[in-house]
Amino acid sequence: MSQDRTLHHFPLDPASRQVRLALGEKRLAFSEVQVRYWERPKEFTTLNPSGMTPVLVEGDGAERLVLCEARAILDHLEEAHPEPDLLGREPAERAEARRLITWFDRKFENEAGGYLLHEKMEKRLLGLGAPDLANLRRGREGLKTHLGYVEGLLQEREWLAGRRLSLADFAAAAHLSVVDYFGDVPWADFPAAKTWYMKLKSRPAFRPLLTDRWPGLNPARHYDDLDF
Amino acid sequence: MSQDRTLHHFPLDPASRQVRLALGEKRLAFSEVQVRYWERPKEFTTLNPSGMTPVLVEGDGAERLVLCEARAILDHLEEAHPEPDLLGREPAERAEARRLITWFDRKFENEAGGYLLHEKMEKRLLGLGAPDLANLRRGREGLKTHLGYVEGLLQEREWLAGRRLSLADFAAAAHLSVVDYFGDVPWADFPAAKTWYMKLKSRPAFRPLLTDRWPGLNPARHYDDLDF
């Protein structure tokens, strides 16, 4: 099967990680091509003119389907491979999962993850020099606010969107896991969030993410530890 | 019917406009509450803790469904009111529409609309002083690049995602229409984009957007002109 499905991704991209988690949870095999998106490789921008990862290519010849951007891929996977279902079945469950996906993809990224990953990751990849300390501080403050929000949700829920694992958990875990790679998540101050993340880390779908390494970017010591 | 569906929105918010266009196209009546989101009114953040518009509230009592953020609302409308269908039926059509929604919501907003609306709209709403000319220039350059992209797509297609009107057209038109309110779209240089926008502007679903006015923010003279 895996030769029929190829994911073009960057291992430390939160959007790519959401797709890898969904593919893993649905037990859909795939081959992978790692993309140095910041170099805008031509074979990749031909697939996706935005130049952004992830892109999933399914099938071949006249049956070839090119799915660009996480939203298109995740929605397609729900439609084409509905089991296990990762959005919920009731309108209210689906709305809550989708609300939280926007929360993490937009609000978390704007207020926390974006600052931290730009300063600690992209500047290295692009050779842009040392991190800006004011931005790191902004990112860490934002991160605490968002962890507090997650902590609050988990007082009343087993998973972020409710009683069942959903794409909302994968969105949150994808964003947090990249920040965690760089050692910036103060898990000890957010015990419910930590327990939730430990449960996610233990799922088979999460394993490949824990083995990700990128040259020149070393993970924090606890990054792949299931008992951090 | 309209008392059963209330949209909380800001008239010049591109995300809110996508929802208004979809509701209009599906002929779903609704009442509206205009939200001064930048003041973070408590009755609104109780509905949506992110503080962002739009929010759609359907039904009442035990049947009440609160849909926060454009993605959750638009996907729900497709699921609950599939006619007319605004994503296409084939996986490739749906993937293309979703790719373009991400393009406009993320790339267009980051590279063009975000600069222009922050400088021309948000600074006025928030009393933050005069626009920064360097940001206006960045926004206008980005806008030209994106209009060029739209122009290219429309050489081979009647609508942005293919042969049929879709949420991709509404995403693009929602973002462009707010920029157009402030008179910044150089339509004359992009004739195919202009024709496409004229077709959209003539649809009944678009009419309410053309009557939007906000105190202290005057629209460009051609804003509501169907033959601009």
Side-chain angles (χ1 to χ4, degrees), chain A residues 85-106:
Chain A
D85 151 35
L86 295 175
L87 273 174
R89 293 210 173 79
E90 294 303 311
E93 284 181 283
R94 298 169 79 80
E96 182 63 354
R98 287 164 173 154
R99 174 182 81 81
L100 289 166
I101 295 169
T102 298
W103 182 288
F104 286 97
D105 283 348
R106 192 175 173 102

Side-chain angles (χ1 to χ4, degrees), chain A residues 75 79 94 98 106 109, chain B residues 79 94 98 106 109:
Chain A
D75 286 351
E79 290 165 356
R94 298 169 79 80
R98 287 164 173 154
R106 192 175 173 102
E109 185 158 316
Chain B
E79 291 165 355
R94 297 168 79 80
R98 286 163 173 156
R106 192 176 174 102
E109 186 158 316

Side-chain angles (χ1 to χ4, degrees), chain A residues 49-50 65 67-69 71-72 75-76 79 91-92 94-95 98-99 101-103 105-107 109 149, chain B residues 49-50 52 65 67-69 71-72 75-76 79 91-92 94-95 98-99 101-103 105-107 109 149:
Chain A
S50 82
L65 179 61
L67 299 143
C68 299
E69 315 291 353
R71 176 183 186 156
D75 286 351
H76 171 75
E79 290 165 356
R94 298 169 79 80
R98 287 164 173 154
R99 174 182 81 81
I101 295 169
T102 298
W103 182 288
D105 283 348
R106 192 175 173 102
K107 193 173 172 69
E109 185 158 316
Y149 183 62
Chain B
S50 83
M52 300 288 290
L65 179 62
L67 298 142
C68 298
E69 315 292 350
R71 177 182 185 157
D75 286 352
H76 171 75
E79 291 165 355
R94 297 168 79 80
R98 286 163 173 156
R99 174 183 81 80
I101 295 168
T102 298
W103 181 289
D105 282 346
R106 192 176 174 102
K107 192 173 173 70
E109 186 158 316
Y149 183 62

